[in-house]
């Protein structure tokens, strides 16, 4: 794909600004009605999906150049996909998330990527990791765990730890707990350890298509070698990458998030939660598990028109609009925990507010990223929750960092942490 | 950069450097394509509104005043918009300063007892309605939907929507207003000017709010409105709309004091009779001819798609083959939607009984297929929140409205079929969506208590396709021709052609004058010229405020 | 030879030009507070083109014109000249009801049409028009609506001009103009059946010309016909009374009815005001006032043409329940008043003595707009000032009328006095002036600035004055229309 492939959409964008708001049917208050962090923070129309369509068109037509401002417009997009959901309330022939991804790819390919991102990519090239630690220590988090270690041992079920869990001390207990829970339920699981590559999802969302491809192929090769049939991960970013970005490259493994597995295990009796965890919590839907966590349906086709001017596709094009993301599994799991009360924020499920970490924004625009996280924390507090729970170490880390930066207090958990408490 | 650097710096000092930009790409995101929904003047393929001199995001009334005063000093035209949806909100002259009012987005007050709200320009219908519902009130939403600025619809444009008949249209609902005049002076109208609060927009004496808006507002061409109060009305429902369903098929299971119906009639006269009876009986909370915007032939099939999260436009042809869909389509030719809301159980009981009587007297019926719970609850949510108005553009990304036939029900109904047939013939040429001719959406009641209807014939086209946009324009020209021949006047398809022309810029004076001189009362535009001279002496707006010189 | 008289006689005929017509003694304080100038002539046109020619002549000769549509008594000073050598344009002879259209519920009337006249004709077509509180028989419907007099059924007021719609206006510059869709008006029935109906008030275009003549005291132009929105004549109607000792006890109940838009007629009066409406003569008022409850909400319930009984029953029960919720009772009668008697009175314009004058022969109205919740405070202010001025509070009438479906509230006090008693006149004057100023400082909005209120409000709101003068300069560049009023 290329940015030019979206030229028709640039003309067909409704310019309605629905991309700046959660689906209007779901608006419950003035305070929590917005959906797009970048336009909410920077305010110029250019920072919304409709604005980025217009900026992209301006660039393609040669009517403007890639200024610092244009780079900022493009790279402050977290690719959270909320604009995509809202747009598709009414539109069936626009793909704003796809467009902004291509915009980023184009800018990077044309040499306009951000320094902060390039540094990260360079580190990966020299076998460093997004977390700036040497790759060879990637598997250390699992020391002492009863896991299979491909490629030495074949493992049909693989637990992909992800970069956060592999290298951040505060995320490692959660990764360990996830594996321990799976083992407790009798699931034979392996980890790649040092052979695990970054999923590439973050780089993809930063605009580094080639880098993503390199990492994806590396992982796929390692899986093939290990005989992997199912990949489980606790990282929403990885989940999305494996589920959506890898299949077009030929990946055929089943992809599950830890919460999906936990949900199934609890329902089938493989795990019983007995200890009470008396707490009021609210659940944050990670973008890449929720609205971007829908089943992948391959499609290749062309646009056609019916009834004169109705734009459809041949064959029928599947719609990714957040309808079938992973929303219920994490909630089922939380509701299974004795003593735990789950309250909902105003913006949930497909119209959840982003944590602020995505798209390389955390790396390049830390203030904006922190603000985004603080908005979510405010929303969590407003619904009366004592703790904010999620299912992605990036989200959790961003929330914790925002709380620390602002000197605020609120407990942040991963679902796995709470399940581990309840066992 | 077209602004002198010292002017740019002065503006930066007013709003802060993070709230001003003249980056070309940013400015291009503040241009409107006239291949698109130009709102009643085009479309013109590959034509854009002029690039602005800069775009600013003011945060306070004082900032707006300072900007406008600077503009007067340097004779710079300016144009403010809140949501930038429609060509009207964009400059029609080069070197115009664009004000994006998004940052001024506070709901300043909701007076629960006296039922009004005070808002800034960036407040959209959805958030005002959500906050109002918490205290048992509702806000009138314009037909263009809840994504639009409440202030803009009340002060600067039209403000007609499904709740006209009960809630009043925005002409009715506009109370006190804070207006930065084109000179930069601050004018507070009505009770506000007398420091008595926001509750009354009129007076003292003759109401000068009349200089801000009449049937329509000044469309951003006469200063900037920075706050206003709007009257609210009762919401006898829950504090938050309970919403169920999978996106986009959201629906609301409201309590039994809410009823939503699609009704249809055997003749257009019966349709008109029903409208009159509904108004004089004093029932109805919302009433609109809504889903016909998809076209007579397509509307029920579209409802089936929209209420099923597994369906897309790609399923349309198959759904149209369904005999049930064909039956309902035929049955509901002359239809409209209505929501009844009872303040008490007895109230809804009476309204329901009265409505049944009206149907019996006029030979109308409730379209049962639209009473299926999932469809009915979807319809209720749709009409109350009006959060799906982007569906105007669902087919290919663009629509505009032809004809209009604004007048009492007898007027519109006597010409509706002809207007529909005319469009149907043109649809066969392929430039616009073949929808069945009758795509005429409009409110049942153009003002509080009823009175008029409007028949906007939705014409859907592809802004990316030159043949489609050119063909649409040809069709609109033909509509105007027909309207003039039939004595209907120039229709909605050209309502703004006197402001902006095919090059995206102000219509030349000779053409504007010709249009105004051929109107029923050219004097109205002469007076507007004088008002503009009085209030906007440096003429820093554009021709969207229509004037005719002697 | 009086050239003016000759010129005007050429327009309207000699019989309709009155020289030195004098001024009736006002039963209010209007002339005491601002002594009027004696008019030079009074002219009585009977057609719009005569009005136009009069205005053209006035421009040419720079003669002030003072339009007037209603008959006596005039109470507010709006129709008395401020400038000498003025000509009163008496439109009361233009009293045709030009059209009544049942289907669109519209009546087209000339300025001299009174409520009694109009209601009688409307009734024949099962229509009615909402009215102010017992207007006097000689009151012009058009003038009442133009002056934004409140109507007693707030639920029909989607805006403050209702039920006024399109107008034919002769501006002060002599130009004839139609506001709203007035240009649509046709004399042919077939055009009306085709929907060419002047039902829209706003506009045309982006200016609301109606607003410029509203509450203008004739200072912008002369309206020569208007379309007026009507309601259906109820098949059934009842009136109820909800009494209380304190006004504040009735506020929330009234708000609830406004919110639900229950009831048809809906207003609050104090005992003195109610007594004045009910009494046939002055001697009855004091004892009646003593017998009546201190405050009463008057609630009308109507059933229209569809299921009127069911409607009435539902409203009756619901409003009764609401009253109970607020600790009140909805009653068909209270000591001193049977609701059905009151209903007869409020449906019938005063044909003999105007009820506001019934008590002492003279009275001064003090009214303004506010919000309903503030009215108890305003009442307290007035009562306390009345005490300071030794004005008997028992004489004060109070009429509280929600307007614009409850967004605002007309608050009116009636200060009766004996015009023949100089001391009473002075006392009333002192109270009136002090109360006007004090209430103005307490956010009472004098939206209809008659007499001394004009200077008060325009001094406090110079921007409005500035814009108003600019608009005036457009429509009446020679300032011939009732100069000296408002801020002109």
């Amino acid at each position: 794909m290329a940015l030019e492939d979206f030229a028709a959409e640039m003309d067909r964008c409704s310019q309605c600004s629905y991309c700046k708001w959660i689906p209007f049917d779901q608006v419950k208050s003035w305070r929590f009605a917005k959906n797009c962090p970048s336009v909410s923070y920077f305010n110029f129309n250019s920072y919304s999906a409709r604005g980025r369509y217009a900026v992209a068109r301006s660039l393609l037509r040669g009517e403007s150049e890639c200024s610092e401002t244009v780079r900022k417009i493009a790279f402050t997009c977290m690719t959270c996909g909320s604009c995509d959901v809202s747009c598709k309330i009414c539109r069936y022939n626009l793909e704003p998330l796809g467009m902004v991804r291509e915009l980023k790819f184009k800018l990077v390919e044309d040499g306009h990527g951000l320094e902060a991102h390039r540094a990260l990519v360079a580190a990966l090239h020299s076998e460093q990791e997004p977390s700036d630690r040497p790759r060879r220590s990637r598997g250390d988090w699992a020391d002492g765990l009863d896991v299979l270690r491909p490629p030495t041992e074949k493992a049909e079920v693989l637990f992909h730890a992800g970069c956060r869990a592999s290298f951040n001390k505060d995320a490692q207990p959660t990764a360990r707990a996830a594996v321990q829970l799976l083992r407790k339920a009798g699931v034979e699981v392996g980890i790649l350890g040092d052979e695990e590559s970054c999923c590439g999802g973050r780089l993809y969302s930063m605009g580094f298509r080639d880098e993503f491809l390199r990492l994806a192929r590396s992982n796929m090769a390692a899986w093939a070698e290990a005989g992997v049939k199912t990949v489980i991960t606790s990282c929403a970013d990885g989940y999305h990458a494996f589920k959506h970005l890898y299949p077009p490259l030929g990946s055929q493994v089943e992809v599950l998030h830890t919460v999906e597995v936990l949900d199934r295990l609890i329902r089938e009796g493989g795990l019983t939660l007995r200890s009470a965890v008396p707490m009021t919590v609210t659940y944050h839907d990670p973008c890449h598990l929720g609205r971007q966590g829908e089943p992948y349906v391959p499609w290749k086709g062309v646009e056609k028109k019916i009834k004169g001017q109705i734009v459809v596709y041949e064959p029928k094009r599947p719609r990714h609009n957040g309808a079938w993301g992973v929303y219920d599994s994490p909630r089922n799991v939380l509701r299974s925990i004795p003593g735990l009360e789950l309250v909902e924020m105003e913006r949930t499920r497909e119209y959840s507010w982003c944590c602020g970490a995505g798209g390389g924004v955390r790396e390049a625009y830390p203030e904006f990223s922190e603000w985004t996280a603080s908005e979510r924390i405010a929303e969590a507090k407003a619904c009366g929750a004592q703790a904010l729970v999620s299912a992605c170490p990036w989200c959790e880390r961003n929330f914790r960092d925002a709380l620390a930066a602002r000197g605020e207090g609120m407990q942040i958990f991963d679902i796995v942490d709470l399940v581990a408490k309840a066992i | 950069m077209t602004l002198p650097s010292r002017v740019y710096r002065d503006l930066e000092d007013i709003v802060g450097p993070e709230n001003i930009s003249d980056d070309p790409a940013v400015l291009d995101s503040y241009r409107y394509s006239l291949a698109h929904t130009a709102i009643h003047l085009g479309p013109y393929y590959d034509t854009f509104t002029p690039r602005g001199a800069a775009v600013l995001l003011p945060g306070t009334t004082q900032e707006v005043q300072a900007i406008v005063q600077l503009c007067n000093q340097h004779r710079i035209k300016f144009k403010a918009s809140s949501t930038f949806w429609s060509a009207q909100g964009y400059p029609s002259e080069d070197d115009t300063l664009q004000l994006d009012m998004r940052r001024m987005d506070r709901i300043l007050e909701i007076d629960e007892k006296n039922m009004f709200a005070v808002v800034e320009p960036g407040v959209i219908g959805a958030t005002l309605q959500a906050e109002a519902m918490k205290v048992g009130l509702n806000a009138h939403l314009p037909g263009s939907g809840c994504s639009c600025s409440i202030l803009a619809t009340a002060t600067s444009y039209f403000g007609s929507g499904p709740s006209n008949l009960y809630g009043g249209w925005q002409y009715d609902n506009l109370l006190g207003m804070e207006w930065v005049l084109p000179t930069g002076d601050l004018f507070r109208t009505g009770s506000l000017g007398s420091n008595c609060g926001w509750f009354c927009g009129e007076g003292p004496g003759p109401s000068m709010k009349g200089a801000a808006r009449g049937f329509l507002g000044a469309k951003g061409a006469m200063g900037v409105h920075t706050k206003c109060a709007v009257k609210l009305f009762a919401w006898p429902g829950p504090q938050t709309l309970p919403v169920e369903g999978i996106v986009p098929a959201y629906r609301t299971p409201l309590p039994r004091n809410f009823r939503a119906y699609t009704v249809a009639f055997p003749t257009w006269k019966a349709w008109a009779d029903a409208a009159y009876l509904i108004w004089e009986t004093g029932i109805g909370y919302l009433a609109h001819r809504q889903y016909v915007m998809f076209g007579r032939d397509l509307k029920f099939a579209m409802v089936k798609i929209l209420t099923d999260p597994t369906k897309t436009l790609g399923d349309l042809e198959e759904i149209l083959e369904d005999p049930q869909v064909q039956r309902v389509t035929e049955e509901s030719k002359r239809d409209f939607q209505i929501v009844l809301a009872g303040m008490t159980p007895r109230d809804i009981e009476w309204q329901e009984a009265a409505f049944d009587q009206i149907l019996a007297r006029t030979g109308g019926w409730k379209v049962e297929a639209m009473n299926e719970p999932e469809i009915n609850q979807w319809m209720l949510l749709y009409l109350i929140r009006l959060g799906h108005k982007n569906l105007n553009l669902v087919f290919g990304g663009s629509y505009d409205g032809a004809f209009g036939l604004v007048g009492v029900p007898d007027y519109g109904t006597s010409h509706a079929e002809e207007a529909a047939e005319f469009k149907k013939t043109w649809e066969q040429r392929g430039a616009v969506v073949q929808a069945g001719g009758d795509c005429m959406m409009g409110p049942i009641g153009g003002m509080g208590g009823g009175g008029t209807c409007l028949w906007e014939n939705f014409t859907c086209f592809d802004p990316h396709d030159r043949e489609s946009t050119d063909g649409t324009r040809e069709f609109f020209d033909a509509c105007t021709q027909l309207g003039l021949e039939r004595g209907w006047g120039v229709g909605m398809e050209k309502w703004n052609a006197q402001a902006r022309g095919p090059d995206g810029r102000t219509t030349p004076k000779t053409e504007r004058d010709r249009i105004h001189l051929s109107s029923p009362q050219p004097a109205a535009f002469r007076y507007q010229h004088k008002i503009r001279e009085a209030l906007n002496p440096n003429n820093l707006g554009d021709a969207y405020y229509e004037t005719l010189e002697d | 030879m009086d050239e003016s008289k000759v010129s005007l006689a050429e327009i309207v005929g000699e019989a309709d030009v009155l020289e030195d017509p004098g001024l009736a003694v006002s039963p209010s304080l209007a002339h005491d507070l601002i002594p009027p100038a004696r008019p030079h002539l009074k002219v009585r046109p009977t057609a719009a083109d005569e009005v136009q020619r009069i205005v053209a002549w006035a421009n040419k000769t720079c003669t002030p014109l003072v339009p007037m549509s209603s008959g006596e008594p005039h109470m507010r000073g709006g129709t008395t000249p401020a400038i000498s050598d003025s000509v009163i344009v008496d439109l009361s002879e233009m009293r045709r009801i030009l059209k009544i259209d049942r289907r669109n519920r519209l009546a087209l009337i000339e300025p001299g049409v009174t409520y009694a006249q109009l209601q009688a004709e409307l009734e024949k077509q099962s229509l009615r028009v909402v009215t102010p509180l017992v207007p006097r028989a000689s009151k012009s419907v058009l003038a009442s609506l133009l002056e934004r007099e409140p109507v007693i059924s707030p639920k029909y007021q989607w805006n403050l001009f209702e039920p006024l719609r399109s107008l034919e206006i002769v501006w002060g510059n002599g130009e004839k103009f139609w506001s709203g869709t007035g240009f649509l008006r046709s004399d042919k029935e077939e055009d009306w059946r085709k929907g060419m109906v002047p039902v829209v008030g706003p506009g045309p275009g982006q200016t609301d010309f109606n607003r410029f003549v509203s509450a203008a005291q004739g200072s912008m132009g002369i309206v020569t016909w208007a379309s007026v929105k009507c309601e259906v004549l109820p098949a059934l109607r009842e009136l109820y009374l909800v009494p209380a000792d304190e006004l504040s006890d009735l506020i929330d109940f009234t708000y609830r009815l406004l919110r639900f838009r229950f009831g048809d007629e809906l207003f609050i009066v104090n005992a003195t005001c109610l007594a004045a409406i009910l009494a046939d003569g002055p001697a009855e008022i004091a004892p009646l006032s003593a017998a009546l409850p201190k405050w009463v909400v008057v609630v009308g319930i109507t059933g229209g043409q569809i299921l009127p009984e069911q409607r009435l029953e539902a409203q009756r029960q619901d409003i009764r329940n609401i009253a109970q919720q607020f600790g009140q009772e909805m009653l068909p009668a209270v000591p001193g008043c049977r609701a059905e008697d009151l209903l007869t009175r409020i449906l019938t314009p005063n044909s003999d003595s105007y009820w506001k004058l019934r008590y002492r022969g003279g009275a001064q109205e003090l009214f303004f707009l506010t919000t309903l919740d503030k009215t108890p405070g305003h009442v307290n202010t007035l009562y306390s000032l009345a005490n300071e001025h030794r004005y008997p509070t028992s004489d004060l009438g109070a009429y509280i009328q929600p307007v614009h479906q409850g967004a605002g509230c007309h608050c009116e006090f009636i200060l009766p006095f004996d015009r023949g008693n100089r001391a009473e006149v002075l006392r009333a004057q002192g109270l009136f002036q002090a109360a006007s100023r004090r209430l103005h400082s307490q956010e009472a909005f004098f939206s209809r600035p008659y007499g001394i209120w004009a200077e008060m409000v325009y001094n406090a709101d110079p921007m409005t004055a500035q814009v108003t003068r600019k608009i005036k300069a457009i429509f009446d560049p020679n300032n011939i229309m009732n100069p000296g009023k408002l801020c002109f």
Side-chain angles (χ1 to χ4, degrees), chain A residues 67-289:
Chain A
S67 59
E68 272 310 304
T69 304
V70 170
R71 289 166 92 205
K72 190 170 162 192
I73 287 167
F75 292 110
T76 48
C77 175
M78 291 165 187
T79 62
C80 72
S82 63
C83 54
D84 204 79
V85 169
S86 292
C87 176
K88 290 171 178 173
I89 294 291
C90 299
R91 293 298 305 268
Y92 292 84
N93 37 42
L94 293 178
E95 298 289 341
L97 178 59
M99 177 277 301
V100 78
R101 290 197 197 281
E102 286 301 329
L103 176 61
K104 288 191 180 191
F105 290 147
K106 178 172 174 59
L107 293 189
V108 168
E109 279 155 17
D110 291 349
H112 299 300
L114 297 183
E115 276 315 307
H117 294 164
R118 280 203 211 102
L120 203 58
V121 172
L124 276 175
H125 261 296
S126 60
E127 301 204 333
Q128 299 298 321
E129 294 289 356
S131 58
D132 209 27
R133 297 282 300 279
R135 181 177 172 161
R136 61 180 178 281
S137 64
R138 197 174 169 112
D140 292 356
W141 65 273
D143 283 351
L145 287 182
D146 174 24
V147 288
L148 300 168
R149 301 256 176 186
T152 320
E153 298 166 292
K154 296 289 182 205
E156 284 194 357
V157 178
L158 184 81
F159 182 80
H160 178 96
C163 304
R164 280 265 153 239
S166 296
F167 295 108
N168 288 121
K169 287 253 172 336
D170 56 349
Q172 284 172 357
T174 303
R176 291 177 66 85
V179 168
Q180 284 165 333
L181 286 168
L182 292 172
R183 292 300 295 126
K184 191 176 174 69
V187 179
E188 281 246 56
V189 63
I191 66 160
L192 281 176
D194 300 345
E195 297 304 311
E196 179 184 287
S197 294
C198 169
C199 67
R202 192 109 319 197
L203 295 183
Y204 187 87
S205 65
M206 288 178 191
F208 292 87
R209 186 172 4 220
D210 291 342
E211 294 307 315
F212 159 75
L213 287 172
R214 185 179 69 77
L215 291 164
R217 289 192 177 111
S218 169
N219 275 323
M220 284 165 61
W223 295 347
E225 198 186 341
V228 172
K229 294 203 166 88
T230 300
V231 173
I232 301 173
T233 181
S234 291
C235 176
D237 214 357
Y239 178 78
H240 171 261
F242 301 148
K243 197 156 180 185
H244 275 266
L245 305 180
Y246 281 39
L249 304 175
S251 171
Q252 293 183 319
V253 302
E254 181 190 23
V255 179
L256 295 168
H257 191 282
T258 308
V259 294
E260 292 181 284
V261 180
L262 292 175
D263 182 29
R264 194 191 298 167
L265 289 171
I266 292 168
R267 276 187 286 117
E268 291 171 357
L271 273 179
T272 307
L273 308 183
R274 291 201 177 86
S275 300
V277 183
M279 205 187 310
T280 303
V281 307
T282 190
Y283 174 68
H284 166 79
D285 291 279
C287 304
H288 292 91
L289 178 63

Side-chain angles (χ1 to χ4, degrees), chain A residues 7-9 11-18 20-21 23-31 33-34 36 39-47 50-52 54-55 57-59 61 63-65 67-70 73 85-93 303-313 316-319 321-324 346 350-351, chain B residues 18-21 23-26 28-33 36 46 48 51 55 57 83-85 90 100 102-103 105-107 124 126-127 130-131 134 146-147 240 243 246-248 250 298 305-306 309-318 320 381 385-391 393-397 430-434 460 462-465 468:
Chain A
E9 291 191 23
D11 287 340
R12 291 178 183 149
C13 163
S14 304
Q15 302 189 64
C16 61
S17 292
Y18 277 37
K20 300 174 185 170
W21 305 93
F24 292 115
D25 291 340
Q26 301 287 5
V27 169
K28 300 167 190 68
S29 72
W30 173 88
R31 177 67 178 90
K34 292 176 178 161
C36 170
V39 73
S40 301
Y41 189 76
F42 295 103
N43 285 301
F44 286 103
N45 183 44
S46 337
Y47 288 86
R50 69 170 274 196
R52 291 182 176 111
V55 166
R57 180 173 54 200
S58 178
L59 291 173
R61 291 161 70 108
E63 284 164 6
S64 55
E65 285 168 2
S67 59
E68 272 310 304
T69 304
V70 170
I73 287 167
V85 169
S86 292
C87 176
K88 290 171 178 173
I89 294 291
C90 299
R91 293 298 305 268
Y92 292 84
N93 37 42
E303 178 187 299
K304 71 171 186 182
K305 288 191 183 178
I306 59 172
K307 296 289 181 190
Q309 295 294 335
I310 299 181
V311 176
V312 296
Y313 303 93
K316 258 195 283 187
R317 191 169 78 174
R319 204 153 107 99
N321 67 330
W324 314 108
E346 284 190 25
E350 67 273 10
Y351 54 98
Chain B
E18 68 281 9
N19 292 314
I20 179 172
S21 179
D23 181 283
V26 171
D28 279 352
S29 75
Y30 281 92
R31 299 174 74 183
Y32 200 82
S33 163
H36 210 291
D46 211 28
F48 292 81
R51 196 183 257 182
V55 61
L57 295 158
T83 60
F84 291 91
W85 194 20
Y90 294 78
D100 181 347
R102 182 185 157 85
R103 284 180 62 222
D105 70 342
R106 294 173 300 163
I107 299 172
I124 61 168
T127 54
E131 291 296 332
K134 291 178 186 174
C146 69
S147 68
T240 309
V243 177
I246 295 179
V247 66
Y250 296 134
L298 306 181
I305 290 172
L306 298 169
T310 66
K311 296 278 185 280
T312 72
L313 285 181
D315 297 296
L316 182 65
E317 286 182 311
E318 192 183 324
L320 286 169
L381 178 57
R385 181 50 59 87
L386 277 191
H388 294 241
K389 286 310 295 172
N390 186 4
L391 283 171
L393 311 166
V394 66
F395 291 137
V432 306
V433 170
Q434 290 145 13
C460 297
D462 181 359
H464 184 63
D465 181 330
S468 179

Side-chain angles (χ1 to χ4, degrees), chain C residues 61-79:
Chain C
T61 58
C62 293
T63 306
L65 299 177
V66 180
M68 179 172 75
S69 308
S70 306
E72 295 294 341
H74 292 105
M75 306 254 307
R76 297 168 191 152
T79 52

Side-chain angles (χ1 to χ4, degrees), chain B residues 451-517:
Chain B
T452 57
C453 294
L454 178 142
W455 303 76
E456 181 179 4
N457 207 337
F458 273 49
T459 308
C460 297
F461 58 98
D462 181 359
H464 184 63
D465 181 330
R466 172 154 226 148
E467 282 181 22
S468 179
T469 54
D470 285 352
T472 301
R473 204 175 60 255
E474 240 181 274
F475 166 60
F476 285 160
D477 287 342
C479 290
T480 303
Q481 188 59 32
L482 182 75
L484 289 169
E485 282 165 16
R486 293 287 186 275
W488 306 340
V490 174
M492 293 180 80
E493 69 280 347
K494 297 288 176 65
W495 268 6
N496 282 311
Q498 62 273 26
R500 196 192 300 269
D503 61 352
R505 283 158 174 70
T506 302
T507 304
K509 186 172 180 311
T510 45
E511 177 61 7
R512 281 187 276 136
D513 287 351
R514 184 196 68 72
I515 293 169
H516 292 140
L517 285 167

